[in-house]
Protein backbone atom coordinates (compact mmCIF):
# COMPACT_ATOMS: atom_id res chain seq x y z
CA UNK A 1 0.00 0.00 0.00
CA UNK A 2 2.93 2.35 0.69
CA UNK A 3 4.35 1.69 -2.77
CA UNK A 4 0.93 2.22 -4.35
CA UNK A 5 0.56 5.53 -2.51
CA UNK A 6 4.04 6.64 -3.62
CA UNK A 7 3.27 5.80 -7.24
CA UNK A 8 -0.10 7.57 -7.17
CA UNK A 9 1.53 10.65 -5.65
CA UNK A 10 4.07 10.77 -8.50
CA UNK A 11 1.35 10.30 -11.12
CA UNK A 12 -0.81 13.01 -9.53
CA UNK A 13 2.01 15.56 -9.51
CA UNK A 14 3.43 14.85 -12.96
CA UNK A 15 0.05 14.59 -14.69
CA UNK A 16 -1.14 17.95 -13.37
CA UNK A 17 2.20 19.60 -14.10
CA UNK A 18 2.38 18.31 -17.68
CA UNK A 19 -1.17 19.42 -18.48
CA UNK A 20 -0.34 22.92 -17.25
CA UNK A 21 2.94 22.97 -19.19
CA UNK A 22 1.34 21.81 -22.42
CA UNK A 23 -1.90 23.80 -22.48
CA UNK A 24 -1.11 26.75 -20.16
CA UNK A 25 -4.03 29.20 -20.45
CA UNK A 26 -6.23 26.45 -21.89
CA UNK A 27 -5.27 23.98 -19.14
CA UNK A 28 -8.35 24.66 -16.97
CA UNK A 29 -10.61 22.49 -19.15
CA UNK A 30 -8.11 19.65 -19.33
CA UNK A 31 -7.54 19.73 -15.58
CA UNK A 32 -11.30 19.47 -15.03
CA UNK A 33 -11.40 16.40 -17.31
CA UNK A 34 -8.48 14.82 -15.46
CA UNK A 35 -10.07 15.29 -12.05
CA UNK A 36 -13.46 14.13 -13.31
CA UNK A 37 -11.89 10.75 -13.98
CA UNK A 38 -10.23 10.84 -10.54
CA UNK A 39 -13.68 11.20 -8.99
CA UNK A 40 -15.14 8.60 -11.34
CA UNK A 41 -12.50 6.10 -10.27
CA UNK A 42 -13.16 6.84 -6.59
CA UNK A 43 -16.85 6.18 -7.21
CA UNK A 44 -16.30 3.04 -9.29
CA UNK A 45 -13.65 1.19 -7.26
CA UNK A 46 -15.81 0.49 -4.15
CA UNK A 47 -18.52 -0.90 -6.42
CA UNK A 48 -15.95 -3.29 -7.93
CA UNK A 49 -14.67 -4.39 -4.53
CA UNK A 50 -18.05 -4.75 -2.82
CA UNK A 51 -19.13 -8.14 -4.29
CA UNK A 52 -15.88 -9.75 -3.12
CA UNK A 53 -15.92 -8.61 0.52
CA UNK A 54 -16.49 -11.19 3.22
CA UNK A 55 -19.55 -11.02 5.45
CA UNK A 56 -17.59 -12.58 8.35
CA UNK A 57 -15.19 -10.82 10.69
CA UNK A 58 -11.49 -11.00 9.90
CA UNK A 59 -10.48 -10.44 13.55
CA UNK A 60 -8.98 -13.14 15.79
CA UNK A 61 -11.23 -15.20 18.00
CA UNK A 62 -11.85 -14.75 21.75
CA UNK A 63 -11.65 -10.95 21.61
CA UNK A 64 -14.30 -8.64 23.00
CA UNK A 65 -14.84 -5.23 21.43
CA UNK A 66 -16.14 -2.35 23.46
CA UNK A 67 -18.70 0.09 22.13
CA UNK A 68 -16.25 2.64 20.85
CA UNK A 69 -13.90 0.31 18.98
CA UNK A 70 -16.80 -1.72 17.67
CA UNK A 71 -18.37 1.37 16.19
CA UNK A 72 -15.15 2.29 14.38
CA UNK A 73 -14.64 -1.26 13.11
CA UNK A 74 -18.18 -1.33 11.85
CA UNK A 75 -17.62 2.05 10.19
CA UNK A 76 -14.59 0.66 8.35
CA UNK A 77 -16.56 -2.31 7.07
CA UNK A 78 -19.37 -0.09 5.87
CA UNK A 79 -17.05 2.27 4.01
CA UNK A 80 -15.63 -0.67 2.07
CA UNK A 81 -18.88 -2.54 1.61
CA UNK A 82 -21.82 -0.18 1.76
CA UNK A 83 -24.54 -2.55 0.66
CA UNK A 84 -24.47 -5.30 3.30
CA UNK A 85 -27.90 -4.91 4.80
CA UNK A 86 -27.53 -7.55 7.45
CA UNK A 87 -24.39 -6.14 9.06
CA UNK A 88 -24.76 -5.12 12.72
CA UNK A 89 -22.54 -3.15 15.09
CA UNK A 90 -20.30 -5.28 17.23
CA UNK A 91 -20.90 -3.45 20.48
CA UNK A 92 -20.32 -5.64 23.58
CA UNK A 93 -20.27 -8.82 21.52
CA UNK A 94 -17.70 -11.57 21.31
CA UNK A 95 -16.28 -11.55 17.84
CA UNK A 96 -16.52 -14.70 15.75
CA UNK A 97 -13.58 -16.86 15.01
CA UNK A 98 -11.05 -16.30 12.24
CA UNK A 99 -12.09 -16.88 8.65
CA UNK A 100 -11.24 -20.12 6.92
CA UNK A 101 -7.60 -20.36 5.94
CA UNK A 102 -8.41 -21.76 2.50
CA UNK A 103 -9.90 -18.44 1.32
CA UNK A 104 -13.45 -19.73 1.19
CA UNK A 105 -14.72 -16.85 3.31
CA UNK A 106 -13.38 -14.06 1.14
CA UNK A 107 -12.47 -13.45 -2.48
CA UNK A 108 -11.14 -9.93 -2.03
CA UNK A 109 -8.03 -10.74 -4.09
CA UNK A 110 -10.30 -10.84 -7.15
CA UNK A 111 -11.01 -7.13 -6.68
CA UNK A 112 -7.28 -6.37 -6.73
CA UNK A 113 -6.83 -8.42 -9.91
CA UNK A 114 -9.72 -6.59 -11.58
CA UNK A 115 -8.29 -3.17 -10.65
CA UNK A 116 -4.86 -4.24 -11.90
CA UNK A 117 -6.30 -5.33 -15.25
CA UNK A 118 -8.23 -2.05 -15.56
CA UNK A 119 -4.99 -0.11 -15.00
CA UNK A 120 -2.87 -2.29 -17.30
CA UNK A 121 -3.57 -0.32 -20.54
CA UNK A 122 -2.19 2.85 -18.93
CA UNK A 123 1.48 1.81 -18.55
CA UNK A 124 1.30 0.10 -21.94
CA UNK A 125 0.09 3.32 -23.54
CA UNK A 126 2.81 5.34 -21.77
CA UNK A 127 5.45 2.84 -22.90
CA UNK A 128 4.17 3.12 -26.48
CA UNK A 129 4.34 6.92 -26.29
CA UNK A 130 7.88 6.80 -24.90
CA UNK A 131 8.96 4.59 -27.78
CA UNK A 132 7.31 6.90 -30.33
CA UNK A 133 9.00 9.89 -28.68
CA UNK A 134 12.29 7.94 -28.72
CA UNK A 135 12.82 8.57 -25.01
CA UNK A 136 13.71 4.95 -24.18
CA UNK A 137 17.36 4.01 -23.78
CA UNK A 138 16.97 1.20 -26.31
CA UNK A 139 15.74 3.67 -28.98
CA UNK A 140 18.00 5.96 -31.04
CA UNK A 141 18.29 9.37 -29.39
CA UNK A 142 16.66 11.41 -32.09
CA UNK A 143 14.56 14.49 -31.78
CA UNK A 144 11.05 13.72 -30.39
CA UNK A 145 8.15 13.55 -32.83
CA UNK A 146 5.86 15.81 -30.81
CA UNK A 147 6.40 19.49 -31.48
CA UNK A 148 6.25 22.28 -28.94
CA UNK A 149 3.47 24.84 -29.31
CA UNK A 150 5.70 27.42 -31.02
CA UNK A 151 7.22 24.89 -33.42
CA UNK A 152 3.77 23.62 -34.28
CA UNK A 153 2.74 27.12 -35.33
CA UNK A 154 5.74 27.31 -37.66
CA UNK A 155 5.77 23.76 -39.03
CA UNK A 156 4.64 24.92 -42.49
CA UNK A 157 7.86 26.92 -42.95
CA UNK A 158 10.59 25.14 -44.95
CA UNK A 159 13.45 24.34 -42.56
CA UNK A 160 16.89 25.73 -43.22
CA UNK A 161 20.13 24.20 -42.05
CA UNK A 162 21.65 26.37 -39.39
CA UNK A 163 24.60 26.14 -37.10
CA UNK A 164 23.34 25.82 -33.56
CA UNK A 165 26.43 27.51 -32.19
CA UNK A 166 25.57 30.72 -34.04
CA UNK A 167 22.35 31.11 -32.09
CA UNK A 168 22.15 33.02 -28.83
CA UNK A 169 22.26 30.93 -25.63
CA UNK A 170 18.48 31.06 -25.13
CA UNK A 171 17.89 29.80 -28.65
CA UNK A 172 19.85 26.60 -28.64
CA UNK A 173 18.01 23.67 -30.29
CA UNK A 174 15.38 21.98 -28.22
CA UNK A 175 16.79 19.06 -26.22
CA UNK A 176 13.91 16.65 -26.01
CA UNK A 177 11.39 17.42 -23.33
CA UNK A 178 13.79 19.06 -20.90
CA UNK A 179 13.68 18.80 -17.15
CA UNK A 180 10.14 18.51 -15.84
CA UNK A 181 11.10 20.21 -12.57
CA UNK A 182 13.37 22.88 -14.09
CA UNK A 183 11.02 25.52 -12.64
CA UNK A 184 12.09 24.46 -9.15
CA UNK A 185 15.77 25.30 -9.65
CA UNK A 186 17.19 27.70 -7.11
CA UNK A 187 18.35 30.22 -9.71
CA UNK A 188 14.76 30.86 -10.79
CA UNK A 189 13.87 32.15 -7.32
CA UNK A 190 16.61 34.75 -7.08
CA UNK A 191 15.19 38.25 -7.02
CA UNK A 192 11.59 37.00 -6.89
CA UNK A 193 9.21 39.34 -5.00
CA UNK A 194 7.70 38.22 -1.70
CA UNK A 195 4.30 37.96 -3.40
CA UNK A 196 5.69 35.14 -5.58
CA UNK A 197 6.22 32.95 -2.50
CA UNK A 198 3.07 34.20 -0.76
CA UNK A 199 0.92 33.13 -3.74
CA UNK A 200 2.37 29.62 -3.60
CA UNK A 201 1.81 29.33 0.16
CA UNK A 202 -1.73 30.72 0.31
CA UNK A 203 -2.90 28.68 -2.68
CA UNK A 204 -1.45 25.52 -1.10
CA UNK A 205 -3.23 26.36 2.17
CA UNK A 206 -6.56 26.73 0.37
CA UNK A 207 -6.15 23.25 -1.12
CA UNK A 208 -4.86 21.97 2.23
CA UNK A 209 -8.29 22.86 3.61
CA UNK A 210 -10.53 21.86 0.69
CA UNK A 211 -8.86 18.51 -0.04
CA UNK A 212 -8.62 17.84 3.69
CA UNK A 213 -12.35 18.46 4.03
CA UNK A 214 -13.01 16.11 1.11
CA UNK A 215 -11.09 13.27 2.75
CA UNK A 216 -12.40 13.91 6.26
CA UNK A 217 -16.05 14.24 5.24
CA UNK A 218 -16.06 11.09 3.12
CA UNK A 219 -14.34 9.16 5.93
CA UNK A 220 -16.50 10.27 8.88
CA UNK A 221 -19.92 11.22 7.50
CA UNK A 222 -21.12 7.64 8.07
CA UNK A 223 -19.97 7.67 11.72
CA UNK A 224 -21.61 11.05 12.23
CA UNK A 225 -24.92 9.85 10.78
CA UNK A 226 -25.24 6.72 12.93
CA UNK A 227 -24.39 8.55 16.17
CA UNK A 228 -26.84 10.62 18.19
CA UNK A 229 -28.76 12.90 17.66
CA UNK A 230 -29.44 11.68 14.10
CA UNK A 231 -29.16 7.92 14.75
CA UNK A 232 -29.61 7.07 11.09
CA UNK A 233 -29.90 3.37 10.28
CA UNK A 234 -26.69 1.68 9.23
CA UNK A 235 -27.98 0.73 5.81
CA UNK A 236 -29.22 4.26 5.01
CA UNK A 237 -26.07 5.92 6.40
CA UNK A 238 -23.95 3.66 4.23
CA UNK A 239 -25.15 5.51 1.13
CA UNK A 240 -23.79 8.88 2.32
CA UNK A 241 -20.14 8.33 1.20
CA UNK A 242 -21.37 7.07 -2.18
CA UNK A 243 -23.67 10.08 -2.51
CA UNK A 244 -20.78 12.40 -1.65
CA UNK A 245 -18.40 10.93 -4.24
CA UNK A 246 -21.16 10.65 -6.79
CA UNK A 247 -21.82 14.39 -6.64
CA UNK A 248 -18.09 15.13 -6.70
CA UNK A 249 -17.93 13.21 -9.97
CA UNK A 250 -21.05 14.96 -11.27
CA UNK A 251 -19.66 18.36 -10.27
CA UNK A 252 -16.40 17.73 -12.12
CA UNK A 253 -18.33 16.67 -15.19
CA UNK A 254 -20.40 19.86 -15.08
CA UNK A 255 -17.26 21.94 -14.53
CA UNK A 256 -15.73 20.86 -17.86
CA UNK A 257 -17.94 23.11 -20.04
CA UNK A 258 -18.25 25.76 -17.31
CA UNK A 259 -14.47 26.17 -17.03
CA UNK A 260 -14.29 27.28 -20.67
CA UNK A 261 -16.70 30.16 -19.92
CA UNK A 262 -15.94 31.13 -16.30
CA UNK A 263 -12.58 32.29 -14.95
CA UNK A 264 -10.83 29.92 -12.53
CA UNK A 265 -10.74 32.64 -9.83
CA UNK A 266 -14.53 32.93 -9.96
CA UNK A 267 -14.97 29.17 -9.75
CA UNK A 268 -12.70 28.94 -6.70
CA UNK A 269 -14.63 31.75 -5.01
CA UNK A 270 -17.93 29.94 -5.60
CA UNK A 271 -16.40 26.72 -4.27
CA UNK A 272 -15.06 28.08 -0.97
CA UNK A 273 -18.16 30.20 -0.26
CA UNK A 274 -20.46 27.27 -1.07
CA UNK A 275 -18.54 24.91 1.23
CA UNK A 276 -18.57 27.40 4.09
CA UNK A 277 -22.31 28.14 3.76
CA UNK A 278 -23.20 24.45 3.46
CA UNK A 279 -21.33 23.53 6.63
CA UNK A 280 -22.98 26.43 8.49
CA UNK A 281 -26.46 25.28 7.44
CA UNK A 282 -25.60 21.67 8.34
CA UNK A 283 -24.55 22.90 11.77
CA UNK A 284 -27.77 24.87 12.28
CA UNK A 285 -29.96 22.00 11.03
CA UNK A 286 -27.94 19.25 12.69
CA UNK A 287 -31.12 17.37 13.69
CA UNK A 288 -32.46 17.19 10.13
CA UNK A 289 -31.69 13.90 8.40
CA UNK A 290 -33.07 15.07 5.05
CA UNK A 291 -30.78 18.06 4.94
CA UNK A 292 -27.82 15.83 5.86
CA UNK A 293 -28.30 14.12 2.50
CA UNK A 294 -28.89 17.42 0.71
CA UNK A 295 -25.86 18.96 2.39
CA UNK A 296 -23.71 15.97 1.48
CA UNK A 297 -24.67 16.37 -2.18
CA UNK A 298 -24.06 20.14 -1.98
CA UNK A 299 -20.61 19.66 -0.47
CA UNK A 300 -19.72 17.20 -3.20
CA UNK A 301 -20.66 19.73 -5.88
CA UNK A 302 -18.77 22.64 -4.31
CA UNK A 303 -15.64 20.66 -3.48
CA UNK A 304 -15.51 18.94 -6.86
CA UNK A 305 -13.72 21.59 -8.94
CA UNK A 306 -11.73 23.33 -6.20
CA UNK A 307 -8.40 21.64 -7.00
CA UNK A 308 -8.28 22.02 -10.81
CA UNK A 309 -9.67 25.57 -10.65
CA UNK A 310 -7.16 26.66 -8.01
CA UNK A 311 -4.33 25.06 -9.96
CA UNK A 312 -5.30 26.85 -13.17
CA UNK A 313 -5.76 30.16 -11.33
CA UNK A 314 -2.41 30.02 -9.53
CA UNK A 315 -0.44 29.06 -12.61
CA UNK A 316 -2.14 31.85 -14.54
CA UNK A 317 -1.08 34.39 -11.89
CA UNK A 318 2.54 33.25 -12.12
CA UNK A 319 2.46 33.14 -15.95
CA UNK A 320 3.25 29.39 -15.85
CA UNK A 321 6.78 29.96 -14.53
CA UNK A 322 6.50 28.95 -10.90
CA UNK A 323 6.39 25.59 -9.18
CA UNK A 324 2.74 26.09 -8.31
CA UNK A 325 1.62 22.67 -9.49
CA UNK A 326 4.12 20.82 -7.32
CA UNK A 327 3.48 22.98 -4.26
CA UNK A 328 -0.31 22.73 -4.62
CA UNK A 329 -0.31 18.95 -5.04
CA UNK A 330 1.88 18.56 -1.95
CA UNK A 331 -0.32 20.92 0.07
CA UNK A 332 -3.48 19.07 -0.97
CA UNK A 333 -1.96 15.68 -0.12
CA UNK A 334 -0.79 16.80 3.31
CA UNK A 335 -4.21 18.30 4.03
CA UNK A 336 -6.01 15.12 3.04
CA UNK A 337 -3.80 13.15 5.42
CA UNK A 338 -3.61 15.56 8.35
CA UNK A 339 -7.21 16.76 8.56
CA UNK A 340 -8.59 13.21 8.56
CA UNK A 341 -6.37 12.38 11.53
CA UNK A 342 -7.35 15.61 13.28
CA UNK A 343 -11.08 15.18 12.71
CA UNK A 344 -10.91 11.55 13.85
CA UNK A 345 -9.21 12.51 17.10
CA UNK A 346 -11.66 15.34 17.83
CA UNK A 347 -14.63 13.17 16.84
CA UNK A 348 -13.63 10.46 19.29
CA UNK A 349 -12.86 12.90 22.11
CA UNK A 350 -15.72 15.42 21.73
CA UNK A 351 -18.54 13.52 20.06
CA UNK A 352 -20.34 13.71 16.75
CA UNK A 353 -21.29 17.39 16.96
CA UNK A 354 -17.61 18.35 16.70
CA UNK A 355 -17.57 16.88 13.17
CA UNK A 356 -19.63 19.77 11.78
CA UNK A 357 -17.82 22.32 13.95
CA UNK A 358 -14.54 21.22 12.38
CA UNK A 359 -16.11 21.55 8.94
CA UNK A 360 -17.20 25.13 9.62
CA UNK A 361 -13.74 26.05 10.93
CA UNK A 362 -11.99 24.51 7.94
CA UNK A 363 -14.40 26.23 5.53
CA UNK A 364 -13.81 29.63 7.12
CA UNK A 365 -10.04 29.09 7.02
CA UNK A 366 -10.22 28.15 3.32
CA UNK A 367 -12.17 31.34 2.59
CA UNK A 368 -9.67 33.43 4.61
CA UNK A 369 -6.70 31.97 2.75
CA UNK A 370 -8.45 32.62 -0.57
CA UNK A 371 -8.96 36.30 0.35
CA UNK A 372 -5.24 36.49 1.18
CA UNK A 373 -4.48 34.91 -2.20
CA UNK A 374 -6.51 37.62 -3.95
CA UNK A 375 -4.62 40.26 -1.98
CA UNK A 376 -1.21 38.86 -2.97
CA UNK A 377 -2.41 38.56 -6.56
CA UNK A 378 -3.11 42.29 -6.57
CA UNK A 379 0.31 42.97 -5.06
CA UNK A 380 2.18 40.70 -7.48
CA UNK A 381 4.27 42.86 -9.89
CA UNK A 382 3.63 40.57 -12.83
CA UNK A 383 0.03 41.81 -13.05
CA UNK A 384 0.81 45.51 -13.43
CA UNK A 385 3.83 45.00 -15.67
CA UNK A 386 1.92 42.89 -18.16
CA UNK A 387 -0.92 45.41 -18.26
CA UNK A 388 1.56 48.23 -19.00
CA UNK A 389 3.14 46.30 -21.84
CA UNK A 390 -0.21 45.47 -23.37
CA UNK A 391 -1.36 49.09 -23.14
CA UNK A 392 1.84 50.52 -24.66
CA UNK A 393 1.73 48.11 -27.55
CA UNK A 394 -1.94 48.73 -28.23
CA UNK A 395 -2.59 44.99 -28.26
CA UNK A 396 -5.64 43.19 -26.92
CA UNK A 397 -3.50 40.74 -24.99
CA UNK A 398 -0.06 39.27 -24.75
CA UNK A 399 -0.78 36.44 -27.19
CA UNK A 400 -1.42 38.95 -29.99
CA UNK A 401 2.05 40.41 -29.48
CA UNK A 402 3.62 36.97 -29.51
CA UNK A 403 1.89 36.03 -32.77
CA UNK A 404 3.00 39.30 -34.43
CA UNK A 405 6.59 38.69 -33.41
CA UNK A 406 6.50 35.18 -34.87
CA UNK A 407 4.97 36.48 -38.11
CA UNK A 408 7.58 39.24 -38.37
CA UNK A 409 10.42 36.74 -38.08
CA UNK A 410 8.73 34.46 -40.59
CA UNK A 411 8.55 37.25 -43.15
CA UNK A 412 12.07 38.52 -42.53
CA UNK A 413 13.91 35.26 -42.04
CA UNK A 414 12.39 32.61 -44.28
CA UNK A 415 12.94 29.29 -42.61
CA UNK A 416 14.90 30.50 -39.59
CA UNK A 417 12.64 28.46 -37.33
CA UNK A 418 14.76 28.61 -34.18
CA UNK A 419 15.02 32.38 -34.27
CA UNK A 420 11.24 32.65 -34.56
CA UNK A 421 10.74 30.35 -31.61
CA UNK A 422 12.90 32.59 -29.43
CA UNK A 423 10.86 35.62 -30.42
CA UNK A 424 7.67 33.84 -29.33
CA UNK A 425 8.50 34.05 -25.63
CA UNK A 426 7.79 36.98 -23.34
CA UNK A 427 9.75 38.89 -22.26
CA UNK A 428 12.06 38.78 -25.30
CA UNK A 429 15.75 38.31 -24.50
CA UNK A 430 17.91 41.41 -24.52
CA UNK A 431 19.75 40.42 -27.73
CA UNK A 432 16.57 40.80 -29.81
CA UNK A 433 16.75 44.60 -29.58
CA UNK A 434 19.68 44.55 -31.99
Amino acid sequence: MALAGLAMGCIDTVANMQLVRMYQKDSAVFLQVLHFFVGFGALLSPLIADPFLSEASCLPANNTANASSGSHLFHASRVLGQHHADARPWSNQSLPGPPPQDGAGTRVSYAFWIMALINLPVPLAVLFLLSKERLLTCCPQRRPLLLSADELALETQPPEKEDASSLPPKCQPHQGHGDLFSCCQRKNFKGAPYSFFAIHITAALVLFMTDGMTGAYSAFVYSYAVEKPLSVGHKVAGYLPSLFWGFITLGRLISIPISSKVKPATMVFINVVGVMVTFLVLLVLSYNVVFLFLGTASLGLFLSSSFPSMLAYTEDILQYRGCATTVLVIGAGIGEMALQMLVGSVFQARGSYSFLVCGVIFGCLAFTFYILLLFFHRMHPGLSSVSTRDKSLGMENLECYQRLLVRAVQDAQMGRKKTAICFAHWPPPAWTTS
Side-chain angles (χ1 to χ4, degrees):
M1 295 307 297
L3 289 175
L6 183 66
M8 286 187 285
C10 294
I11 292 172
D12 195 15
T13 304
V14 176
N16 284 281
M17 179 176 290
Q18 285 287 56
L19 284 178
V20 171
R21 283 165 57 96
M22 287 190 295
Y23 299 108
Q24 296 196 358
K25 286 189 176 295
D26 296 324
S27 61
V29 176
F30 296 96
L31 289 171
Q32 297 288 355
V33 174
L34 172 67
H35 287 271
F36 161 72
F37 280 99
V38 173
F40 182 71
L43 177 67
L44 185 64
S45 54
L47 300 179
I48 295 176
D50 184 72
F52 304 104
L53 295 179
S54 173
E55 297 284 354
S57 169
C58 298
L59 298 177
N62 300 323
N63 283 332
T64 302
N66 58 30
S68 176
S69 62
S71 176
H72 288 295
L73 291 171
F74 179 72
H75 160 63
S77 70
R78 294 293 299 177
V79 170
L80 292 174
Q82 298 163 2
H83 307 292
H84 299 302
D86 57 340
R88 292 177 298 147
W90 301 325
S91 176
N92 299 321
Q93 295 181 17
S94 296
L95 299 175
Q101 296 297 322
D102 58 359
T106 177
R107 295 170 296 172
V108 71
S109 61
Y110 294 170
F112 286 94
W113 280 109
I114 293 173
M115 296 305 298
L117 291 175
I118 291 176
N119 283 276
L120 183 61
V122 179
L124 294 178
V126 173
L127 186 66
F128 175 75
L129 179 62
L130 288 173
S131 64
K132 296 293 290 185
E133 284 283 280
R134 301 181 177 90
L135 295 175
L136 297 176
T137 55
C138 58
C139 298
Q141 293 298 316
R142 295 165 54 189
R143 197 171 183 280
L145 298 178
L146 296 183
L147 301 178
S148 66
D150 297 320
E151 292 176 296
L152 191 61
L154 298 172
E155 65 178 349
T156 55
Q157 287 290 336
E160 180 180 289
K161 293 294 183 181
E162 186 175 305
D163 185 10
S165 62
S166 65
L167 294 175
K170 293 186 179 182
C171 284
Q172 294 298 324
H174 180 67
Q175 301 295 332
H177 287 266
D179 184 8
L180 181 64
F181 297 96
S182 60
C183 65
C184 299
Q185 294 178 1
R186 188 175 180 180
K187 62 182 180 180
N188 294 330
F189 300 143
K190 291 183 178 180
Y194 77 92
S195 58
F196 176 84
F197 301 99
I199 288 171
H200 282 84
I201 294 172
T202 50
L205 287 174
V206 172
L207 290 183
F208 179 91
M209 293 299 166
T210 55
D211 272 49
M213 284 187 286
T214 301
Y217 193 85
S218 62
F220 290 99
V221 65
Y222 170 84
S223 297
Y224 168 74
V226 297
E227 297 286 340
K228 293 180 179 180
L230 292 177
S231 300
V232 179
H234 295 295
K235 180 178 180 180
V236 177
Y239 291 110
L240 283 168
S242 294
L243 178 70
F244 181 67
W245 279 106
F247 272 84
I248 284 181
T249 306
L250 177 63
R252 288 173 176 173
L253 180 63
I254 296 173
S255 298
I256 295 174
I258 293 178
S259 61
S260 62
K261 305 293 183 181
V262 181
K263 293 182 179 180
T266 305
M267 295 186 66
V268 176
F269 177 78
I270 295 172
N271 288 333
V272 294
V273 172
V275 169
M276 184 174 59
V277 172
T278 302
F279 267 118
L280 282 172
V281 178
L282 277 172
L283 189 63
V284 173
L285 303 176
S286 58
Y287 290 87
N288 193 321
V289 176
V290 174
F291 192 80
L292 175 63
F293 281 83
L294 295 177
T296 299
S298 175
L299 281 175
L301 286 175
F302 285 121
L303 288 169
S304 61
S305 61
S306 58
F307 185 94
S309 299
M310 177 58 73
L311 181 57
Y313 174 46
T314 308
E315 287 284 8
D316 189 49
I317 296 175
L318 302 173
Q319 300 176 19
Y320 307 94
R321 295 180 183 177
C323 275
T325 302
T326 306
V327 175
L328 264 60
V329 170
I330 293 173
I334 295 175
E336 192 169 355
M337 175 186 66
L339 292 193
Q340 286 192 60
M341 185 170 57
L342 176 62
V343 171
S345 301
V346 175
F347 189 99
Q348 186 175 12
R350 299 293 180 180
S352 61
Y353 191 76
S354 61
F355 173 66
L356 295 181
V357 175
C358 289
V360 172
I361 294 174
F362 297 152
C364 292
L365 287 175
F367 180 76
T368 303
F369 291 137
Y370 179 69
I371 296 300
L372 288 175
L373 177 61
L374 293 178
F375 172 74
F376 291 125
H377 181 195
R378 301 289 296 179
M379 299 292 293
H380 191 57
L383 181 66
S384 58
S385 59
V386 170
S387 301
T388 304
R389 290 166 187 158
D390 291 347
K391 189 178 299 183
S392 62
L393 292 169
M395 297 295 173
E396 180 180 355
N397 50 42
L398 193 57
E399 286 79 11
C400 294
Y401 178 61
Q402 292 175 340
R403 286 194 293 269
L404 286 179
L405 279 176
V406 174
R407 182 61 59 84
V409 175
Q410 284 180 319
D411 295 339
Q413 305 286 344
M414 295 297 294
R416 292 175 65 88
K417 180 182 294 187
K418 292 299 176 183
T419 306
I421 293 170
C422 287
F423 269 106
H425 290 85
W426 178 270
W431 63 266
T432 57
T433 56
S434 61

